[in-house]
Amino acid sequence: MARPAVNGVRAEDRRRWAPYRDATVVVTGGNGFIGRAVSSLLIEAGAEVHWISRSAGVDTRVRTHRANVAERDASRRILAQLRPDYVFHLAGRTNADKAYEHVWPTFDTNVAGTLNVLAGTLEANPACRVVCCASMEELWGTTIGASSPYGVSKRVASMYVAMFAALYDLAAMSLRPFFVYGPGRQPEGKLLPYVINELAAGRMPALRSVDRAMDWVYLDDVSRAFLHAGLSGRSPTDDPVDIGSGTLTRIGDVVRTVAEIMGRPLIEAAPVADGQLRELSPAADTSLAHRTYGWQPLTDLRSGLEATVEWYLGQRL
């Protein structure tokens, strides 16, 4: 797979995304990792982009409406005012810790927040198309309760998306990105920012679960998938559509590749310690996204990691 152009939208995508020109588009969580990338593509496509975000906007090209999607009246008021043509619902709490303290926060933001966005959009403009962000965390564990408060909340949110599509004829759908990485601001505790910063400082990162295999998908490819899906009239399935590379790569192998790119000594990943639970993550099934949206990932893992390392090292200058 060829690495996409660093600057700008591909000509093929620019033609395809022509319907976004002059459209009113709301992005919830626009200040987040995926939200900023999706917003940039929408702006390049000519859309008028509005964020619903708890934090102040960092992009002067968009108009930020300060609100928490968990607050029903605030979300509905903003959506009623804007009457958007498209909504990309990317706001959410993403902490996958299993601790009890995360039950209510994830419910309020991920379940109630999604319901508020769906209901507010339906009331503001029933013809609006809505693309929501699901999670690969929904797939872990042998039963839904074996996941985490976050995973359960995302599963329930996806069920609401399917319900609004089936019962109220809202063109709503969910995409399930797998392990998204790439250039762009993420918390320093996230795996790749942590590894890159540690290696840049001359330290070897302390790693756990190095044998865990993940489906790594580049941020630009994920953003393209959201814009492709937004032009689809209906979801092809009640379940979220997988967005990933379709292949699994061990964390230890990814870290070793990052070390090679940075010119550091190779890291030999240690085996999983005795008694440590090895969580198995599935690979994305990208066939449905390809058939329905004409989407496929364009960035191979090595090229994506090179771009990610380059971006983070540039931030350190």
Side-chain angles (χ1 to χ4, degrees):
M1 294 177 290
R3 179 175 172 181
V6 173
N7 297 312
V9 176
R10 298 181 311 154
E12 174 186 341
D13 289 334
R14 192 181 302 278
R15 290 191 296 269
R16 182 170 185 174
W17 297 338
Y20 288 118
R21 179 164 297 279
D22 298 325
T24 300
V25 183
V26 168
V27 180
T28 72
N31 232 352
F33 182 52
I34 299 177
R36 289 193 296 268
V38 169
S39 297
S40 291
L41 290 186
L42 288 166
I43 291 166
E44 289 191 67
E48 177 188 308
V49 179
H50 297 257
W51 284 355
I52 297 179
S53 175
R54 289 180 297 178
S55 57
V58 296
D59 193 328
T60 58
R61 300 172 298 172
V62 305
R63 180 180 176 188
T64 301
H65 306 261
R66 296 285 296 275
N68 185 343
V69 293
E71 299 172 357
R72 182 174 60 178
D73 291 341
S75 299
R76 292 170 74 178
R77 182 178 65 254
I78 294 168
L79 290 165
Q81 170 193 343
L82 296 175
R83 298 190 72 251
D85 302 296
Y86 302 91
V87 170
F88 293 89
H89 178 42
L90 304 172
R93 287 184 177 266
T94 59
N95 191 322
D97 192 287
K98 299 180 188 298
Y100 173 74
E101 65 194 61
H102 298 294
V103 171
W104 286 112
T106 53
F107 176 87
D108 290 342
T109 301
N110 298 341
V111 180
T114 298
L115 180 55
N116 291 339
V117 169
L118 291 169
T121 301
L122 181 67
E123 295 164 6
N125 180 13
C128 182
R129 295 178 178 178
V130 185
V131 186
C132 298
C133 188
S135 171
M136 64 180 183
E137 181 83 7
E138 299 174 37
L139 302 175
W140 293 354
T142 56
T143 64
I144 184 62
S147 175
S148 65
Y150 167 69
V152 172
S153 71
K154 295 299 286 187
R155 178 69 175 270
V156 174
S158 294
M159 294 172 68
Y160 270 110
V161 174
M163 184 193 79
F164 268 76
L167 298 185
Y168 311 124
D169 201 32
L170 182 66
M173 62 210 74
S174 296
L175 300 187
R176 181 190 288 124
F178 277 61
F179 200 82
V180 186
Y181 74 98
R185 185 70 60 191
Q186 284 187 291
E188 292 186 0
K190 292 288 186 179
L191 178 64
L192 285 181
Y194 165 71
V195 167
I196 294 169
N197 286 330
E198 287 294 287
L199 290 173
R203 298 186 293 266
M204 287 296 169
L207 300 172
R208 297 182 300 169
S209 302
V210 291
D211 281 341
R212 179 176 171 187
M214 311 283 287
D215 185 324
W216 304 73
V217 58
Y218 191 59
L219 178 63
D220 287 2
D221 288 328
V222 173
S223 305
R224 289 177 44 253
F226 274 91
L227 266 69
H228 282 17
L231 299 178
S232 176
R234 296 196 62 83
S235 176
T237 175
D238 287 342
D239 293 323
V241 176
D242 287 356
I243 302 298
S245 68
T247 60
L248 295 176
T249 305
R250 295 169 62 254
I251 288 176
D253 293 334
V254 168
V255 172
R256 188 159 52 244
T257 300
V258 170
E260 291 175 0
I261 293 169
M262 297 180 65
R264 302 297 182 182
L266 296 184
I267 295 176
E268 290 297 330
V272 175
D274 292 340
Q276 181 177 348
L277 175 64
R278 178 179 179 179
E279 293 182 303
L280 298 177
S281 305
D285 179 355
T286 61
S287 59
L288 185 57
H290 181 65
R291 292 196 309 270
T292 306
Y293 307 131
W295 175 89
Q296 60 183 354
L298 299 177
T299 310
D300 65 90
L301 183 56
R302 176 83 188 202
S303 296
L305 290 174
E306 289 174 351
T308 304
V309 169
E310 180 182 355
W311 187 88
Y312 273 99
L313 293 183
Q315 301 303 301
R316 296 175 62 90
L317 298 178

